[in-house]
Amino acid sequence: MELAMASAIALLVAAGVYLVLRARSFDVILGLTLLSYGTNLLIFSSGRLVAGKPPVLREGIAATSAGYTDPLPQALVLTAIVIAFAMTAVTIVLAMRSRADNHSDHVDGREDAGR
């Protein structure tokens, strides 16, 4: 399971970096989104991949770390998802404004960029 998670994180980060380095604004936005997904998976996997264990104290289960999973990475990922959604919305608005002002969707605003 760790190999699959590490492969998924590596694939998301590699695709994100590739897209961020492109000249078009849509590619950059998509790359930033993929990078945030990869980061979220990395944070989530830092809390040990455990199936079937609750993140909060329950009656009948011993209050040791062996009976629970770490709730902190889950809370951090939830917060990161909300922040990433808001930043994606802001970035899309900025890209739309840049396209309207420059009549181009290139990141640097030039028509001939990338040719």
XYZ file of all heavy atoms in Angstrom:
843
model
N 0.822 -1.190 0.000
C 0.000 0.000 0.000
C 0.870 1.260 0.000
O 0.520 2.242 -0.613
C -0.909 -0.013 1.226
C -1.794 1.190 1.308
S -3.457 0.719 1.589
C -3.985 1.953 2.708
N 2.008 1.196 0.712
C 2.898 2.355 0.746
C 3.505 2.628 -0.631
O 3.684 3.782 -1.009
C 4.016 2.150 1.777
C 3.555 2.273 3.214
C 2.979 0.982 3.751
O 3.064 -0.058 3.048
O 2.430 0.999 4.859
N 3.813 1.558 -1.363
C 4.364 1.736 -2.708
C 3.345 2.390 -3.635
O 3.692 3.283 -4.427
C 4.820 0.391 -3.271
C 5.422 0.433 -4.675
C 6.702 1.254 -4.675
C 5.672 -0.957 -5.198
N 2.106 1.993 -3.530
C 1.059 2.588 -4.363
C 0.862 4.060 -4.019
O 0.707 4.908 -4.915
C -0.254 1.823 -4.191
N 0.881 4.383 -2.719
C 0.712 5.776 -2.303
C 1.906 6.626 -2.744
O 1.734 7.737 -3.250
C 0.544 5.847 -0.784
C 0.260 7.233 -0.273
S -1.312 7.894 -0.808
C -2.379 7.192 0.410
N 3.113 6.098 -2.593
C 4.307 6.832 -3.015
C 4.314 7.032 -4.529
O 4.696 8.099 -5.024
C 5.559 6.096 -2.571
N 3.870 6.028 -5.275
C 3.797 6.152 -6.734
C 2.765 7.186 -7.146
O 3.001 7.974 -8.076
C 3.456 4.808 -7.359
O 4.437 3.860 -7.070
N 1.628 7.210 -6.465
C 0.590 8.194 -6.775
C 1.073 9.610 -6.484
O 0.850 10.530 -7.276
C -0.679 7.892 -5.989
N 1.762 9.775 -5.360
C 2.296 11.099 -5.014
C 3.328 11.529 -6.051
O 3.307 12.670 -6.526
C 2.904 11.075 -3.599
C 1.809 10.876 -2.553
C 3.676 12.357 -3.319
C 2.335 10.581 -1.164
N 4.231 10.634 -6.419
C 5.265 10.964 -7.404
C 4.659 11.309 -8.759
O 5.091 12.259 -9.421
C 6.243 9.804 -7.549
N 3.645 10.573 -9.173
C 2.992 10.838 -10.448
C 2.287 12.193 -10.448
O 2.399 12.966 -11.411
C 1.990 9.722 -10.761
C 1.281 9.812 -12.101
C 2.282 9.584 -13.228
C 0.169 8.803 -12.173
N 1.576 12.504 -9.364
C 0.889 13.792 -9.276
C 1.877 14.958 -9.260
O 1.661 15.974 -9.936
C 0.002 13.837 -8.031
C -1.282 13.035 -8.095
C -1.946 12.988 -6.724
C -2.229 13.632 -9.122
N 2.952 14.818 -8.507
C 3.932 15.902 -8.433
C 4.651 16.068 -9.773
O 4.854 17.199 -10.240
C 4.932 15.649 -7.284
C 6.103 16.614 -7.345
C 4.227 15.772 -5.940
N 5.021 14.970 -10.411
C 5.707 15.066 -11.706
C 4.810 15.706 -12.762
O 5.247 16.597 -13.504
C 6.150 13.683 -12.163
N 3.553 15.281 -12.826
C 2.622 15.881 -13.790
C 2.366 17.342 -13.449
O 2.259 18.195 -14.346
C 1.309 15.103 -13.805
N 2.284 17.661 -12.156
C 2.070 19.044 -11.743
C 3.229 19.950 -12.120
O 3.028 21.055 -12.627
N 4.449 19.495 -11.885
C 5.631 20.294 -12.237
C 5.697 20.483 -13.753
O 5.995 21.580 -14.244
C 6.913 19.639 -11.690
C 8.155 20.274 -12.286
C 6.941 19.735 -10.179
N 5.425 19.424 -14.501
C 5.442 19.532 -15.962
C 4.429 20.583 -16.436
O 4.739 21.413 -17.299
C 5.128 18.179 -16.591
C 4.967 18.228 -18.092
C 6.072 18.355 -18.917
C 3.702 18.178 -18.679
C 5.929 18.415 -20.295
C 3.552 18.244 -20.047
C 4.663 18.360 -20.851
O 4.514 18.431 -22.207
N 3.231 20.556 -15.885
C 2.203 21.493 -16.329
C 2.471 22.916 -15.861
O 2.131 23.879 -16.561
C 0.825 21.030 -15.851
C 0.272 19.811 -16.572
C -0.991 19.313 -15.896
C 0.012 20.111 -18.037
N 3.080 23.079 -14.687
C 3.395 24.428 -14.206
C 4.432 25.097 -15.108
O 4.414 26.319 -15.290
C 3.878 24.375 -12.737
C 4.567 25.657 -12.321
C 2.711 24.101 -11.812
N 5.295 24.315 -15.715
C 6.339 24.873 -16.577
C 5.854 25.180 -17.995
O 6.636 25.647 -18.820
C 7.532 23.920 -16.629
C 8.254 23.727 -15.290
C 9.338 22.676 -15.424
C 8.819 25.037 -14.797
N 4.606 24.934 -18.292
C 4.049 25.224 -19.615
C 3.774 26.728 -19.750
O 3.785 27.468 -18.772
C 2.757 24.451 -19.832
C 2.871 22.955 -19.631
C 3.516 22.274 -20.763
N 2.645 22.431 -21.917
C 2.942 22.027 -23.115
N 4.079 21.429 -23.336
N 2.113 22.199 -24.117
N 3.506 27.187 -20.960
C 3.323 28.611 -21.203
C 1.868 29.063 -21.138
O 1.589 30.251 -21.092
C 3.889 28.980 -22.575
N 0.938 28.150 -21.127
C -0.478 28.511 -21.117
C -1.010 28.587 -19.692
O -0.630 27.807 -18.833
C -1.302 27.477 -21.894
C -0.851 27.248 -23.291
C -1.401 28.298 -24.161
N -1.012 28.049 -25.549
C -1.524 28.700 -26.531
N -2.421 29.606 -26.330
N -1.107 28.460 -27.764
N -1.919 29.525 -19.449
C -2.417 29.726 -18.096
C -3.257 28.547 -17.606
O -3.203 28.193 -16.423
C -3.215 31.024 -18.009
O -4.282 31.013 -18.925
N -4.035 27.905 -18.490
C -4.833 26.756 -18.055
C -3.940 25.615 -17.599
O -4.223 24.959 -16.595
C -5.760 26.289 -19.174
C -6.567 25.080 -18.789
C -7.627 25.192 -17.918
C -6.254 23.828 -19.287
C -8.362 24.092 -17.537
C -6.974 22.714 -18.921
C -8.039 22.845 -18.045
N -2.850 25.385 -18.313
C -1.907 24.335 -17.925
C -1.285 24.627 -16.563
O -1.104 23.720 -15.746
C -0.809 24.185 -18.973
C -1.328 23.693 -20.308
O -2.448 23.158 -20.334
O -0.608 23.860 -21.312
N -0.959 25.890 -16.323
C -0.367 26.272 -15.039
C -1.369 26.054 -13.908
O -1.015 25.524 -12.848
C 0.118 27.737 -15.085
C 0.533 28.219 -13.708
C 1.264 27.883 -16.065
N -2.616 26.426 -14.121
C -3.644 26.232 -13.093
C -3.850 24.745 -12.818
O -3.937 24.320 -11.661
C -4.961 26.907 -13.514
C -4.779 28.417 -13.556
C -6.098 26.533 -12.581
C -5.923 29.152 -14.211
N -3.915 23.946 -13.866
C -4.074 22.506 -13.688
C -2.862 21.899 -12.980
O -2.999 21.024 -12.113
C -4.288 21.841 -15.048
C -4.742 20.399 -15.051
C -6.083 20.255 -14.350
C -4.842 19.890 -16.473
N -1.667 22.376 -13.308
C -0.456 21.902 -12.648
C -0.432 22.244 -11.168
O -0.043 21.423 -10.332
N -0.858 23.456 -10.816
C -0.923 23.830 -9.409
C -1.933 22.972 -8.653
O -1.718 22.598 -7.503
C -1.282 25.309 -9.276
C -0.192 26.293 -9.666
C -0.725 27.719 -9.644
C 0.999 26.157 -8.738
N -3.033 22.639 -9.311
C -4.035 21.777 -8.691
C -3.469 20.378 -8.452
O -3.662 19.801 -7.373
C -5.292 21.710 -9.575
O -5.773 23.035 -9.806
C -6.375 20.891 -8.924
N -2.765 19.830 -9.435
C -2.161 18.511 -9.259
C -1.089 18.526 -8.163
O -0.966 17.561 -7.392
C -1.569 18.010 -10.569
C -2.573 17.601 -11.650
C -1.842 17.180 -12.904
C -3.476 16.503 -11.159
N -0.330 19.602 -8.083
C 0.660 19.723 -7.016
C -0.009 19.755 -5.641
O 0.489 19.161 -4.687
C 1.510 20.974 -7.204
C 2.654 20.870 -8.187
C 3.295 22.229 -8.406
C 3.682 19.884 -7.703
N -1.140 20.447 -5.543
C -1.830 20.483 -4.256
C -2.400 19.114 -3.896
O -2.387 18.720 -2.722
C -2.927 21.547 -4.258
O -4.018 21.160 -5.066
N -2.869 18.356 -4.896
C -3.343 16.994 -4.626
C -2.203 16.107 -4.138
O -2.367 15.316 -3.204
C -3.968 16.364 -5.869
C -5.282 16.953 -6.300
C -5.741 16.786 -7.592
C -6.079 17.678 -5.427
C -6.946 17.323 -8.008
C -7.281 18.213 -5.828
C -7.714 18.034 -7.118
O -8.900 18.564 -7.518
N -1.056 16.226 -4.773
C 0.113 15.446 -4.349
C 0.547 15.811 -2.942
O 0.896 14.932 -2.136
N 0.514 17.096 -2.619
C 0.867 17.537 -1.275
C -0.131 17.019 -0.247
O 0.255 16.587 0.849
C 0.924 19.069 -1.226
O 1.825 19.533 -2.226
C 1.369 19.559 0.132
N -1.414 17.047 -0.593
C -2.429 16.523 0.318
C -2.221 15.034 0.587
O -2.352 14.578 1.722
C -3.832 16.766 -0.241
C -4.230 18.214 -0.175
O -3.620 19.007 0.531
N -5.247 18.570 -0.924
N -1.907 14.275 -0.448
C -1.640 12.852 -0.244
C -0.398 12.632 0.617
O -0.366 11.720 1.444
C -1.469 12.143 -1.583
C -2.736 11.765 -2.329
C -2.384 11.104 -3.655
C -3.601 10.852 -1.498
N 0.615 13.462 0.429
C 1.827 13.347 1.229
C 1.537 13.631 2.699
O 1.985 12.896 3.588
C 2.899 14.304 0.707
C 4.240 14.261 1.421
C 4.909 12.922 1.182
C 5.104 15.397 0.962
N 0.772 14.682 2.972
C 0.408 15.007 4.352
C -0.440 13.886 4.942
O -0.248 13.470 6.091
C -0.345 16.350 4.416
C 0.589 17.498 4.057
C -0.940 16.573 5.799
C -0.118 18.819 3.873
N -1.390 13.378 4.160
C -2.277 12.330 4.650
C -1.506 11.050 4.956
O -1.762 10.380 5.956
C -3.375 12.061 3.629
C -4.442 11.145 4.130
C -5.307 11.553 5.120
C -4.575 9.869 3.622
C -6.292 10.719 5.598
C -5.557 9.014 4.088
C -6.423 9.444 5.086
N -0.541 10.724 4.117
C 0.225 9.492 4.345
C 1.223 9.636 5.481
O 1.725 8.629 5.988
C 0.938 9.071 3.066
O 1.931 10.011 2.732
N 1.524 10.859 5.899
C 2.449 11.040 7.019
C 1.844 10.574 8.340
O 2.570 10.355 9.304
C 2.870 12.509 7.127
O 1.785 13.288 7.594
N 0.532 10.420 8.392
C -0.125 9.954 9.602
C -0.245 8.450 9.673
O -1.105 7.941 10.380
N 0.574 7.717 8.967
C 0.558 6.251 8.889
C -0.729 5.776 8.227
O -1.813 6.163 8.621
C 0.704 5.598 10.259
C 2.067 5.782 10.864
C 2.133 5.187 12.225
N 1.221 5.967 13.082
C 0.627 5.478 14.150
N 0.837 4.241 14.494
N -0.163 6.230 14.868
N -0.602 4.960 7.243
C -1.756 4.416 6.537
C -2.328 3.259 7.340
O -1.763 2.172 7.386
C -1.339 3.952 5.141
C -0.765 5.049 4.246
C -0.238 4.446 2.957
C -1.812 6.092 3.952
N -3.440 3.528 7.993
C -4.070 2.538 8.856
C -5.536 2.436 8.451
O -6.219 3.442 8.318
C -3.971 2.951 10.339
C -4.607 1.905 11.229
C -2.528 3.184 10.740
N -6.011 1.225 8.259
C -7.408 1.030 7.875
C -8.217 0.517 9.060
O -7.768 -0.354 9.807
C -7.502 0.036 6.727
N -9.415 1.059 9.227
C -10.337 0.547 10.220
C -10.124 1.016 11.642
O -10.734 0.477 12.557
N -9.293 2.016 11.871
C -9.083 2.535 13.221
C -9.626 3.954 13.301
O -9.427 4.761 12.392
C -7.596 2.522 13.580
C -7.043 1.119 13.730
C -5.634 1.151 14.224
C -5.102 -0.273 14.365
N -3.725 -0.281 14.795
N -10.326 4.286 14.399
C -10.923 5.616 14.514
C -9.873 6.682 14.847
O -8.872 6.390 15.501
C -11.909 5.448 15.670
C -11.320 4.368 16.503
C -10.661 3.436 15.532
N -10.106 7.933 14.422
C -9.176 9.010 14.756
C -9.472 9.680 16.095
O -8.699 10.499 16.552
C -9.361 10.000 13.609
C -10.765 9.788 13.189
C -11.059 8.332 13.410
N -10.605 9.344 16.724
C -10.981 9.957 18.001
C -11.197 8.866 19.048
O -11.433 7.704 18.716
C -12.259 10.809 17.861
C -12.013 12.017 16.992
C -13.399 10.000 17.306
N -11.127 9.256 20.324
C -11.284 8.300 21.416
C -12.695 7.720 21.422
O -13.674 8.430 21.224
C -11.007 8.976 22.755
C -9.573 9.458 22.971
C -9.471 10.194 24.293
C -8.604 8.306 22.937
N -12.758 6.430 21.668
C -14.044 5.733 21.762
C -14.068 4.890 23.018
O -13.032 4.417 23.486
C -14.263 4.833 20.551
C -14.620 5.561 19.308
C -15.213 4.607 18.332
N -15.665 5.346 17.174
C -15.941 4.787 16.034
N -15.804 3.498 15.874
N -16.362 5.507 15.028
N -15.259 4.683 23.508
C -15.415 3.844 24.680
C -15.206 2.378 24.290
O -15.661 1.936 23.237
C -16.831 4.030 25.241
C -16.899 3.846 26.739
C -18.225 4.281 27.292
O -18.580 5.458 27.084
O -18.896 3.447 27.902
N -14.502 1.657 25.112
C -14.251 0.252 24.842
C -12.939 -0.021 24.141
O -12.540 -1.166 23.988
N -12.254 1.027 23.685
C -10.951 0.876 23.025
C -9.913 1.525 23.926
O -10.113 2.635 24.416
C -10.941 1.538 21.625
C -11.994 0.906 20.725
C -9.567 1.404 20.995
C -12.123 1.572 19.375
N -8.822 0.820 24.154
C -7.770 1.347 25.029
C -7.233 2.659 24.479
O -7.075 2.831 23.266
C -6.643 0.331 25.150
N -6.951 3.598 25.375
C -6.486 4.933 24.972
C -4.989 4.931 24.700
O -4.235 5.722 25.254
C -6.848 5.948 26.041
N -4.538 4.054 23.830
C -3.135 4.027 23.410
C -3.074 4.333 21.920
O -4.078 4.273 21.212
C -2.508 2.639 23.669
O -3.195 1.671 22.879
C -2.587 2.277 25.144
N -1.888 4.643 21.458
C -1.743 4.989 20.043
C -1.931 3.783 19.125
O -2.147 3.934 17.923
C -0.383 5.625 19.785
O 0.635 4.702 20.083
N -1.888 2.579 19.683
C -2.052 1.379 18.856
C -3.495 1.195 18.398
O -3.750 0.563 17.378
C -1.598 0.144 19.627
N -4.447 1.756 19.127
C -5.854 1.569 18.780
C -6.440 2.673 17.930
O -7.610 2.614 17.553
N -5.653 3.691 17.618
C -6.178 4.852 16.905
C -5.244 5.256 15.763
O -4.085 4.896 15.741
C -6.338 6.039 17.859
C -7.345 5.769 18.947
C -6.947 5.303 20.180
C -8.695 5.960 18.709
C -7.870 5.035 21.171
C -9.620 5.697 19.696
C -9.204 5.238 20.919
O -10.123 4.971 21.880
N -5.783 6.041 14.870
C -4.966 6.653 13.827
C -4.780 8.126 14.170
O -5.551 8.688 14.948
C -5.614 6.484 12.448
O -4.724 6.980 11.451
C -6.923 7.226 12.346
N -3.789 8.749 13.605
C -3.477 10.145 13.921
C -4.483 11.075 13.243
O -4.576 11.098 12.015
C -2.056 10.456 13.457
C -1.560 11.795 13.953
O -2.233 12.408 14.794
O -0.489 12.223 13.495
N -5.241 11.884 14.011
C -6.239 12.764 13.392
C -5.653 14.052 12.820
O -6.301 14.718 12.019
C -7.197 13.067 14.535
C -6.351 12.989 15.746
C -5.336 11.904 15.464
N -4.446 14.423 13.199
C -3.872 15.689 12.756
C -3.682 15.770 11.239
O -4.084 16.770 10.623
C -2.563 15.974 13.485
C -1.930 17.328 13.183
C -2.855 18.450 13.620
C -0.593 17.438 13.863
N -3.098 14.762 10.574
C -2.988 14.853 9.112
C -4.345 14.951 8.414
O -4.478 15.635 7.403
C -2.260 13.569 8.721
C -1.515 13.171 9.921
C -2.366 13.596 11.077
N -5.347 14.295 8.959
C -6.682 14.373 8.362
C -7.228 15.795 8.459
O -7.800 16.310 7.497
C -7.619 13.382 9.045
C -7.207 11.944 8.851
C -8.066 10.984 9.631
O -9.157 11.313 10.061
N -7.562 9.775 9.816
N -7.032 16.442 9.614
C -7.493 17.817 9.778
C -6.704 18.767 8.878
O -7.279 19.700 8.287
C -7.356 18.234 11.240
N -5.400 18.540 8.753
C -4.580 19.393 7.888
C -4.984 19.262 6.423
O -5.040 20.256 5.687
C -3.102 19.044 8.059
C -2.459 19.446 9.384
C -1.051 18.888 9.467
C -2.454 20.946 9.549
N -5.273 18.047 5.987
C -5.673 17.831 4.598
C -7.034 18.472 4.332
O -7.251 19.077 3.281
C -5.679 16.329 4.254
C -6.382 16.064 2.946
C -4.255 15.818 4.185
N -7.953 18.369 5.272
C -9.256 19.007 5.100
C -9.104 20.514 4.948
O -9.735 21.141 4.077
C -10.156 18.689 6.295
C -11.509 18.171 5.909
C -11.456 16.663 5.900
C -12.538 18.679 6.848
N -8.268 21.115 5.777
C -8.013 22.548 5.684
C -7.326 22.896 4.366
O -7.663 23.893 3.711
C -7.143 22.996 6.861
O -7.772 22.601 8.073
C -6.945 24.492 6.862
N -6.377 22.073 3.941
C -5.659 22.319 2.687
C -6.582 22.223 1.483
O -6.409 22.959 0.504
C -4.499 21.344 2.550
N -7.564 21.336 1.532
C -8.519 21.216 0.422
C -9.320 22.499 0.266
O -9.504 23.008 -0.847
C -9.441 19.997 0.639
C -8.668 18.705 0.447
C -10.642 20.040 -0.294
C -9.422 17.466 0.870
N -9.776 23.055 1.378
C -10.554 24.299 1.328
C -9.701 25.447 0.815
O -10.132 26.231 -0.045
C -11.137 24.610 2.725
C -11.787 25.974 2.744
C -12.121 23.535 3.140
N -8.476 25.553 1.308
C -7.592 26.629 0.873
C -7.232 26.471 -0.602
O -7.204 27.449 -1.358
C -6.331 26.674 1.756
C -6.708 27.100 3.175
C -5.286 27.610 1.177
C -5.596 26.936 4.173
N -6.964 25.249 -1.051
C -6.616 25.016 -2.457
C -7.782 25.355 -3.375
O -7.584 25.904 -4.460
C -6.191 23.570 -2.661
N -9.002 25.045 -2.948
C -10.171 25.391 -3.763
C -10.296 26.900 -3.908
O -10.537 27.411 -5.007
C -11.445 24.811 -3.140
C -12.686 25.152 -3.902
C -12.964 24.529 -5.109
C -13.566 26.103 -3.428
C -14.097 24.851 -5.826
C -14.706 26.428 -4.136
C -14.972 25.798 -5.338
N -10.115 27.628 -2.807
C -10.205 29.087 -2.860
C -9.100 29.686 -3.724
O -9.351 30.595 -4.531
C -10.140 29.661 -1.451
N -7.886 29.160 -3.592
C -6.785 29.694 -4.388
C -6.936 29.347 -5.872
O -6.548 30.130 -6.733
C -5.445 29.178 -3.861
C -5.053 29.797 -2.536
S -5.096 31.603 -2.531
C -3.929 31.994 -3.793
N -7.516 28.200 -6.166
C -7.783 27.851 -7.563
C -8.800 28.806 -8.161
O -8.647 29.263 -9.300
C -8.272 26.399 -7.670
O -7.277 25.535 -7.125
C -8.533 26.013 -9.113
N -9.821 29.150 -7.392
C -10.827 30.101 -7.871
C -10.203 31.471 -8.133
O -10.472 32.103 -9.163
C -11.966 30.214 -6.865
N -9.343 31.927 -7.228
C -8.667 33.216 -7.419
C -7.765 33.172 -8.648
O -7.730 34.110 -9.453
C -7.865 33.593 -6.154
C -6.931 34.757 -6.411
C -8.802 33.917 -5.008
N -7.036 32.088 -8.821
C -6.132 31.957 -9.964
C -6.899 31.931 -11.278
O -6.463 32.523 -12.274
C -5.285 30.684 -9.816
O -4.685 30.673 -8.535
C -4.212 30.620 -10.868
N -8.041 31.275 -11.306
C -8.862 31.245 -12.518
C -9.367 32.641 -12.854
O -9.354 33.054 -14.021
C -10.020 30.246 -12.357
C -9.477 28.821 -12.404
C -11.080 30.446 -13.433
C -10.501 27.760 -12.082
N -9.785 33.389 -11.854
C -10.251 34.763 -12.097
C -9.113 35.619 -12.635
O -9.304 36.411 -13.577
C -10.853 35.361 -10.805
C -11.080 36.845 -10.952
C -12.142 34.654 -10.443
N -7.919 35.474 -12.061
C -6.771 36.236 -12.560
C -6.415 35.847 -13.994
O -6.067 36.706 -14.815
C -5.567 36.036 -11.647
C -5.633 36.723 -10.290
C -4.443 36.307 -9.438
C -5.679 38.223 -10.458
N -6.487 34.557 -14.311
C -6.190 34.107 -15.675
C -7.228 34.639 -16.664
O -6.880 35.029 -17.786
C -6.143 32.590 -15.718
N -8.493 34.648 -16.259
C -9.533 35.183 -17.144
C -9.345 36.676 -17.372
O -9.506 37.168 -18.494
C -10.917 34.908 -16.538
C -11.311 33.447 -16.583
S -12.821 33.060 -15.687
C -14.008 34.108 -16.477
N -8.950 37.401 -16.322
C -8.718 38.837 -16.469
C -7.502 39.093 -17.359
O -7.507 39.992 -18.209
C -8.517 39.458 -15.092
C -8.215 40.929 -15.110
C -9.367 41.710 -15.723
N -9.006 43.070 -15.965
C -9.517 44.098 -15.303
N -10.425 43.884 -14.378
N -9.140 45.307 -15.589
N -6.460 38.309 -17.183
C -5.265 38.457 -18.005
C -5.572 38.169 -19.470
O -5.075 38.864 -20.364
C -4.170 37.520 -17.507
O -3.057 37.560 -18.349
N -6.386 37.157 -19.721
C -6.769 36.841 -21.104
C -7.589 37.969 -21.715
O -7.414 38.324 -22.879
C -7.543 35.538 -21.158
C -7.944 35.146 -22.564
C -8.588 33.776 -22.583
N -9.193 33.482 -23.856
C -8.545 33.044 -24.919
N -7.242 32.862 -24.863
N -9.176 32.787 -26.052
N -8.466 38.554 -20.939
C -9.281 39.658 -21.448
C -8.431 40.893 -21.736
O -8.654 41.586 -22.735
C -10.380 39.999 -20.451
N -7.467 41.171 -20.887
C -6.627 42.360 -21.076
C -5.587 42.177 -22.174
O -5.334 43.088 -22.962
C -5.903 42.719 -19.776
C -6.841 43.280 -18.729
O -8.001 43.607 -19.072
O -6.429 43.378 -17.554
N -4.967 40.995 -22.253
C -3.863 40.767 -23.184
C -4.269 40.060 -24.471
O -3.442 39.911 -25.363
C -2.774 39.936 -22.498
C -2.194 40.635 -21.307
O -2.101 41.851 -21.275
N -1.824 39.866 -20.309
N -5.502 39.574 -24.547
C -5.995 38.814 -25.701
C -5.121 37.585 -25.972
O -4.906 37.212 -27.115
C -6.093 39.691 -26.943
C -6.932 40.897 -26.727
N -8.291 40.830 -26.512
C -6.618 42.211 -26.657
C -8.772 42.050 -26.338
N -7.768 42.916 -26.414
N -4.597 36.999 -24.907
C -3.758 35.812 -25.018
C -3.836 35.054 -23.698
O -4.026 35.646 -22.649
C -2.312 36.221 -25.298
O -1.472 35.102 -25.219
N -3.682 33.732 -23.765
C -3.685 32.956 -22.531
C -2.284 32.502 -22.133
O -2.128 31.634 -21.303
C -4.626 31.761 -22.633
C -4.178 30.747 -23.663
O -3.359 31.103 -24.523
O -4.670 29.603 -23.610
N -1.268 33.120 -22.712
C 0.107 32.816 -22.328
C 0.397 33.445 -20.972
O -0.112 34.517 -20.652
C 1.101 33.342 -23.368
C 1.112 32.507 -24.608
N 1.856 31.377 -24.730
C 0.455 32.658 -25.772
C 1.655 30.844 -25.928
N 0.796 31.613 -26.581
N 1.231 32.779 -20.201
C 1.524 33.247 -18.856
C 2.234 34.592 -18.887
O 1.961 35.483 -18.083
C 2.378 32.206 -18.098
C 2.791 32.718 -16.742
C 1.591 30.919 -17.929
N 3.149 34.784 -19.825
C 3.877 36.061 -19.888
C 3.140 37.116 -20.716
O 3.625 38.234 -20.834
C 5.294 35.835 -20.420
C 5.311 35.286 -21.824
O 4.232 35.052 -22.391
O 6.421 35.078 -22.345
N 2.007 36.797 -21.286
C 1.189 37.773 -21.987
C 1.574 38.032 -23.421
O 0.949 38.846 -24.093
N 2.568 37.344 -23.942
C 2.979 37.569 -25.320
C 2.278 36.580 -26.235
O 2.024 35.432 -25.881
C 4.482 37.401 -25.472
C 5.263 38.480 -24.755
C 6.717 38.387 -25.033
N 7.187 37.068 -24.589
C 8.349 36.555 -24.948
N 9.142 37.216 -25.745
N 8.726 35.383 -24.504
N 1.963 37.009 -27.433
C 1.309 36.161 -28.423
C 2.244 35.069 -28.931
O 1.832 33.966 -29.175
C 0.832 36.997 -29.610
C -0.319 37.903 -29.298
C -1.641 37.150 -29.218
O -1.763 36.102 -29.857
O -2.532 37.627 -28.518
N 3.519 35.388 -29.115
C 4.442 34.460 -29.743
C 5.199 33.582 -28.737
O 6.106 32.863 -29.117
C 5.461 35.223 -30.591
C 6.285 36.208 -29.782
O 5.890 36.488 -28.632
O 7.290 36.698 -30.297
N 4.825 33.620 -27.481
C 5.547 32.816 -26.472
C 5.298 31.329 -26.732
O 4.193 30.907 -27.012
C 5.076 33.173 -25.079
N 6.327 30.559 -26.649
C 6.216 29.112 -26.820
C 6.275 28.654 -28.258
O 6.148 27.488 -28.532
N 6.461 29.531 -29.200
C 6.517 29.143 -30.610
C 7.932 29.128 -31.109
O 8.800 29.732 -30.673
C 5.703 30.110 -31.469
C 4.239 29.943 -31.218
C 3.471 30.810 -32.160
N 2.070 30.749 -31.791
C 1.188 31.634 -32.144
N 1.532 32.665 -32.888
N -0.051 31.520 -31.785
